[in-house]
Each structure stands twice: as C-alpha cells, then as structure tokens.
Amino acid sequence: GAVVSQHPSRVICKSGTSVKIECRSLDFQATTMFWYRQFPKQSLMLMATSNEGSKATYEQGVEKDKFLINHASLTLSTLTVTSAHPEDSSFYICSARGGTGETQYFGPGTRLLVL
Amino acid sequence: AQSVTQPDIHITVSEGASLELRCNYSYGATPYLFWYVQSPGQGLQLLLKYFSGDTLVQGIKGFEAEFKRSQSSFNLRKPSVHWSDAAEYFCAVGPNQAGTALIFGKGTTLSVSS
C-alpha cells in the first residue's frame, strides 16, 4: 500500500517557540492531505484539509494563524505550530489521499510536547 | 448529522477466542466504510474498507467486516485473536468524494488475555 511519512516522530520544545511537522507521501501524489490531532485515549479530530497549491480549509475552532498549513507540492504538506503552548502538546497525525482515490493513508504521527 | 458510533470503549478477549467489534454509522448517502488499527504511539493502519459490492470484506491480519445497510452497521470480526492484536481500533466513514475527510468513531481498545 501507499506510504506516508512524518518528521519528526517526536519533538520537545519550549513554550513560545514554533515547531514544523512534515508529512510526505512517498510513492504517490497526494492531491489532498489531512491533519488530525489526537489526545490520549481519544479519537482523531480533524484539524484541516489541504489541497495542493491552495489554502487549507480549517475545521471550526482551529486557529489558522496558530496552525499554519502549507501544501506546496503533491508529496509534501507541513504543519507549523506557532508560539506553541503546553496545551498544544498532543499527537499530530497526517493522512494523504491521491487523485480521486477514496482511501486515506496515514502517517505514523508526531508526538509534540511543549514545556 | 454524520457520525460513527463504536459502543464498546474497551473489550477484553482471550487469546484464541473470536472477536467482534461493533460500529454503527449515521450518514445521509452511501458511505465508504473503513476500519483502522492503531498500536500505542503509532499511526493508523488500514485493516479493510468497503466501497460497494460484496458486503463481506476481507482485510489484512485475518480480519473481516460485514456491511449491513439495514442496521447501519459495519462490524469487524476475527475468528481467533492473537496477543499481537491488542490495540486501538477505529471505525471511520467517508463520502465518495475525493478531498473530503473521514469521520472517526471514538475507538475500541482491545486487550487480549492469555
């Protein structure tokens, strides 16, 4: 199946700094990528949908100025958590979907800890 | 409203016993249905999916699921559970439109006892 990678897998940062998370589709072109956030013992909550070359669509309640999403190419999307705070600590997972395909392939996730 | 319900938060099954994880959905149109598995600290792995056709679908690792339109259900089954199956299982539903996100259930934690 299709492979999606995320980098880094784990990051610890100080409060107030910014963190960038990369999501790459390794063997297919991802016209659409999704960013999810998962709290411990909970389900995935969609944060935003990004289509290559256009602005991301954010879910209600997600601050677009805090969670910057860029989908500059068909294989790469980035999520930047700006001015991170401890409450931003979470597990961030991206998924990618190619062309008109119906299946989403998920990355391994990034564990963010803000001190 | 579109939603996915997984009624069981936590299930414990003896190794070698059969397993059924329940999933009910509410969706206005014909949905695409998925089951994903997540090991601790890991991303999601696709177990199986249903788009159309035969309502009994086979997936990886010996799992299968049956789509029952009349019951709005898509339950996951495995005839004999292995200790390595202990994980979190998520049912998800999606529209048949590219570029639209999935809706996930809250997940069921599976523990396997020896």
Side-chain angles (χ1 to χ4, degrees), chain A residues 97 102, chain B residues 2 25-34 50-53 55 67 69 72 92-97:
Chain A
R97 191 173 184 176
E102 303 85 359
Chain B
Q2 303 164 0
Y25 66 89
S26 173
Y27 205 79
T30 302
Y32 288 174
L33 295 158
F34 305 82
Y50 173 78
F51 293 163
S52 65
T55 56
F67 171 57
R69 185 187 301 275
S72 296
V93 61
N96 53 356
Q97 298 170 19

Side-chain angles (χ1 to χ4, degrees), chain B residues 9-79:
Chain B
I9 297 174
H10 192 176
I11 284 182
T12 299
V13 175
S14 298
E15 189 169 16
S18 64
L19 168 71
E20 181 170 35
L21 301 182
R22 296 183 291 165
C23 173
N24 294 95
Y25 66 89
S26 173
Y27 205 79
T30 302
Y32 288 174
L33 295 158
F34 305 82
W35 274 100
Y36 287 89
V37 61
Q38 183 182 35
S39 297
Q42 302 293 317
L44 274 68
Q45 181 181 23
L46 179 67
L47 284 176
L48 48 78
K49 58 190 178 185
Y50 173 78
F51 293 163
S52 65
D54 192 347
T55 56
L56 182 64
V57 293
Q58 303 296 321
I60 62 172
K61 303 184 180 186
F63 285 92
E64 67 178 26
E66 186 171 12
F67 171 57
K68 293 185 177 180
R69 185 187 301 275
S70 61
Q71 298 177 19
S72 296
S73 70
F74 188 57
N75 294 347
L76 181 72
R77 300 194 294 250
K78 186 171 184 177

Side-chain angles (χ1 to χ4, degrees), chain B residues 75-95:
Chain B
N75 294 347
L76 181 72
R77 300 194 294 250
K78 186 171 184 177
S80 178
V81 169
H82 188 262
W83 64 267
S84 60
D85 293 324
E88 188 83 12
Y89 290 80
F90 292 98
C91 179
V93 61

Side-chain angles (χ1 to χ4, degrees), chain B residues 92-109:
Chain B
V93 61
N96 53 356
Q97 298 170 19
T100 309
L102 298 178
I103 300 168
F104 283 86
K106 296 191 175 214
T108 297
T109 301

